[in-house]
Amino acid sequence: MAVYLGFDSSTQSLTATAIDVTAETRRVLFEHILQYDDAFPAYGTTNGVWVGGDRRVVTSSPIMWAEALDAMLETIAREHPDIVRTVHAVAVAAQQHGSVYVYGTATPTFEALDPRRPLAGQLEGIFAREEAPVWMDSSTTSQCRALTDELGGEEAVIRLTGSRAHERFTGPQIRKFAETHPERYQRTDRIHLVSSYLTTLLAGRHAPIDSCDGAGMNLMDIRGRAWAPAALRVTAPALEKRLPPIVVPWTVVGPLAPYWRHRHGFPSARVIVGTGDNPSSLIGVGIVEEGQVAISLGTSDTVFGLMRDAAVDLSGTAHTFGSPTGKYMSLVCFRNGSLVREHVRDDHGLDWPGFSDALRNTPPGNDGALMLPWLDPEITPPVSSPGLRRRGFDRSDLAKNVRAVIEGQMMAMALHSRWTETRVERIHATGGAARNAEILQVVADVFGATVHRIGPSSSAALGAALRAFHADARAAGKPVPWSEIVSGFANPTDSVIHPNPRHHERYRELMRVYEDFERSER
Ligand code: ADP
Ligand code: XUL
């Protein structure tokens, strides 16, 4: 057996996926999920986060993420003792952009974790910020403006870093911290992404940042894949010495720290550099070549695909990140994903089957009823005054609300991912809501493309396990091509959803109306 373990520390949960790879076998051995709110109620998170009074400040707990990792490895060791002994390598995927700030005392703490005591308690006192800002935070508009001016305007920022300055990106968040808490910033020794922080815990030493997740910071030169000195200079004083180095995505950080070996019985497996959940999902859904697109319907909704070159979207909508294969990926992110779907579901006292019934029993196009699904401040398009906007119906009409939220989301996805000018014929769908065939039918009809459902595994955690396999083989001097890495794992299940041409035509007309509605309400 050659077992690889991947983790996905997402907004609401931690998932672990184990795969077995031999010449004959390729299979997922198990998947475990821990929901933060349920498993760790003491932290008082809702959907994995703390939301501030004006809904713009959104944070979470780095100690809770560590406690979840400890609990996960304990569960895996208890339930699969034989498998655990054969783990060759591990890798982390995590929600992107979020940042963890630690003092200098963190370094000896990470290096000497005591296997007789739980992890979380040993981390008390090392954080310069107890609350880590996460990707849902939208409180740094003034920092984004200032950074953009100082770097020579929006186009200059996009060309340099691959994205315009975004509120949730790490650079603007760091600048805000340095401005509002200069003394704590001065004492901050290292700033990690969520992915490099969790990898640090696994390796027992400061881990680097990979060039995929590093691209989500407004601090990295997207073509050079190195820190951009101009961006660091305008963000915060002496920032470079506080950031881990940037490395290629197949870098081996070191062996699993003695803590995991002695506390839970893991072997001395290789720890691979971590990455963002979206880059990891790109691998998890099997996209290792250009021309295919994936949609992830999770807490955030994202549309992403692989690109050979570092093309950038000068309109400022899409991001250019690195891809784990060493190329690039484009990504458009929507803040109002699963949580607004749940809001509409709960507002009408439905469960998911009831929600699906409502979709099935309403006509595509919803008789012209439209909803802009901006329950919270939106990323794409940028909307800072939240609130659902309805046209042609009101809150009391259950069925129309259900269809309107899904059609609004999917039309927004199609509209804002047009910049790559790729004709989308086939979409890989992943994320929690990809379980829902009625939602995927709307995706197929709006895009006019077949939708291939990926499952049942979490694509981000599976992608992490596959990255571990790839980097381990390379480190052992027996590199395996990416097409072979994903083969047999990341193939879409047999569930393919076909678009209805008549419905697609209806959506093409409606999208023009939706675009005007969106423009008038921003
Ligand atoms: P994360 O962004 O935290 O990784 P997931 O991709 O795991 O999120 O998705 C979790 C979400 O999936 C839940 O918040 C829930 O709204 C959604 N979900 C689960 N089952 C269904 C379903 N049958 N239909 C629609 N949405 C669903
Ligand atoms: C991507 C983004 C989100 C998070 C969610 O830019 O902000 O998709 O990665 O986990």
Side-chain angles (χ1 to χ4, degrees):
M1 253 181 149
V3 174
Y4 295 98
L5 201 49
F7 299 97
D8 174 31
S9 176
S10 75
T11 317
Q12 306 194 47
S13 57
L14 175 68
T15 304
T17 299
I19 58 171
D20 178 22
V21 185
T22 60
E24 302 80 39
T25 12
R26 261 142 200 277
R27 56 189 173 132
V28 172
L29 294 169
F30 61 78
E31 185 182 79
H32 282 289
I33 302 181
L34 276 174
Q35 294 288 341
Y36 297 131
D37 297 357
D38 302 340
F40 308 101
Y43 293 91
T45 55
T46 302
N47 301 312
V49 298
W50 294 309
V51 181
D54 68 352
R55 302 197 68 75
R56 295 213 166 100
V57 174
V58 185
T59 59
S60 190
S61 165
I63 299 205
M64 178 180 76
W65 295 331
E67 192 171 335
L69 190 66
D70 208 10
M72 181 62 88
L73 269 82
E74 184 184 326
T75 305
I76 294 174
R78 192 181 54 243
E79 294 191 10
H80 314 278
D82 298 339
I83 292 175
V84 159
R85 276 194 284 279
T86 61
V87 173
H88 284 214
V90 306
V92 165
Q95 53 173 302
Q96 300 197 250
H97 319 295
S99 40
V100 177
Y101 303 68
V102 295
Y103 295 130
T105 51
T107 306
T109 304
F110 294 146
E111 288 172 0
L113 293 170
D114 178 356
R116 288 164 306 183
R117 293 160 51 217
L119 178 62
Q122 300 183 54
L123 304 180
E124 299 285 349
I126 66 164
F127 297 102
R129 286 178 101 165
E130 297 289 337
E131 300 185 6
V134 299
W135 68 275
M136 295 165 102
D137 187 285
S138 57
S139 67
T140 63
T141 304
S142 67
Q143 286 78 17
C144 288
R145 283 204 191 109
L147 291 172
T148 305
D149 287 348
E150 290 162 30
L151 279 172
E154 186 165 292
E155 184 172 332
V157 180
I158 296 172
R159 287 194 191 282
L160 180 64
T161 71
S163 304
R164 71 171 170 81
H166 278 272
E167 277 80 355
R168 70 193 193 286
F169 275 41
T170 326
Q173 293 290 342
I174 293 173
R175 179 163 171 152
K176 179 181 162 194
F177 183 56
E179 284 173 3
T180 55
H181 295 83
E183 188 267 336
R184 281 189 179 227
Y185 176 77
Q186 274 307 324
R187 289 176 52 219
T188 298
D189 178 64
R190 211 64 58 98
I191 303 173
H192 278 290
L193 288 177
V194 184
S195 62
S196 64
Y197 162 66
L198 292 169
T199 306
T200 293
L201 296 178
L202 289 171
R205 52 191 286 226
H206 284 295
I209 285 178
D210 93 315
S211 51
C212 311
D213 216 11
M217 302 172 81
N218 284 138
L219 295 174
M220 192 187 92
D221 176 337
I222 189 68
R223 287 189 177 75
R225 300 177 210 237
W227 297 125
L232 300 197
R233 217 169 22 249
V234 299
T235 297
L239 181 52
E240 183 152 21
K241 71 170 188 195
R242 295 182 163 84
L243 292 172
I246 294 178
V247 296
V248 292
W250 42 84
T251 301
V252 177
V253 180
L256 263 181
Y259 177 83
W260 308 103
R261 310 211 298 264
H262 300 313
R263 187 168 178 85
H264 300 308
F266 280 79
S268 176
R270 288 187 170 116
V271 179
I272 311 306
V273 67
T275 197
D277 50 3
N278 292 293
S280 191
S281 274
L282 189 74
I283 301 303
V285 302
I287 299 185
V288 294
E289 272 163 31
E290 274 177 286
Q292 294 177 36
V293 170
I295 281 184
S296 172
L297 303 173
T299 315
S300 64
D301 285 351
T302 55
V303 190
F304 51 90
L306 194 111
M307 299 190 291
R308 191 170 331 135
D309 307 308
V312 290
D313 174 16
L314 291 178
S315 81
T317 303
H319 313 307
T320 303
F321 295 154
S323 88
T325 59
K327 297 195 172 94
Y328 292 93
M329 66 185 282
S330 69
L331 178 134
V332 182
C333 179
F334 300 82
R335 156 89 184 264
N336 285 291
S338 278
L339 300 182
V340 64
R341 289 187 281 274
E342 284 173 26
H343 171 84
V344 171
R345 182 198 63 182
D346 297 344
D347 203 26
H348 295 283
L350 298 171
D351 53 12
W352 287 125
F355 190 91
S356 297
D357 284 345
L359 272 177
R360 220 176 294 114
N361 297 327
T362 41
N366 216 9
D367 297 323
L370 288 177
M371 182 192 285
L372 301 173
W374 302 333
L375 184 65
D376 282 307
E378 181 49 68
I379 293 167
T380 311
V383 176
S384 55
S385 316
L388 300 180
R389 273 74 148 178
R390 294 179 179 87
R391 182 189 274 180
F393 70 118
D394 61 27
R395 187 177 159 192
S396 65
D397 189 331
L398 178 155
K400 274 206 164 73
N401 274 276
V402 168
R403 182 159 277 280
V405 69
I406 299 299
E407 290 188 342
Q409 290 179 318
M410 301 318 153
M411 284 196 280
M413 282 187 133
L415 274 175
H416 296 289
S417 52
R418 285 195 301 209
W419 76 279
T420 52
E421 289 169 8
T422 317
R423 166 91 190 94
V424 179
E425 281 167 3
R426 177 187 160 125
I427 296 171
H428 302 251
T430 180
R435 272 180 224 134
N436 191 313
E438 283 72 26
I439 293 179
L440 295 190
Q441 186 62 57
V442 180
V443 175
D445 290 345
V446 168
F447 280 83
T450 54
V451 175
H452 298 250
R453 208 180 339 180
I454 309 295
S457 317
S458 143
S459 58
L462 175 61
L466 292 168
R467 286 184 57 247
F469 169 29
H470 168 262
D472 185 60
R474 205 180 159 108
K478 295 180 191 139
V480 178
W482 276 106
S483 55
E484 254 179 67
I485 296 277
V486 300
S487 142
F489 279 116
N491 294 334
T493 59
D494 49 3
S495 78
V496 178
I497 295 173
H498 295 279
N500 174 320
R502 223 164 20 89
H503 298 164
H504 178 52
E505 217 24 67
R506 173 82 187 99
Y507 284 124
R508 277 164 56 98
E509 288 160 19
L510 204 58
M511 230 135 81
R512 282 193 281 271
V513 184
Y514 184 87
E515 195 172 11
D516 287 343
F517 186 26
E518 201 185 60
R519 207 174 290 127
S520 69
E521 289 287 330
R522 281 173 56 186

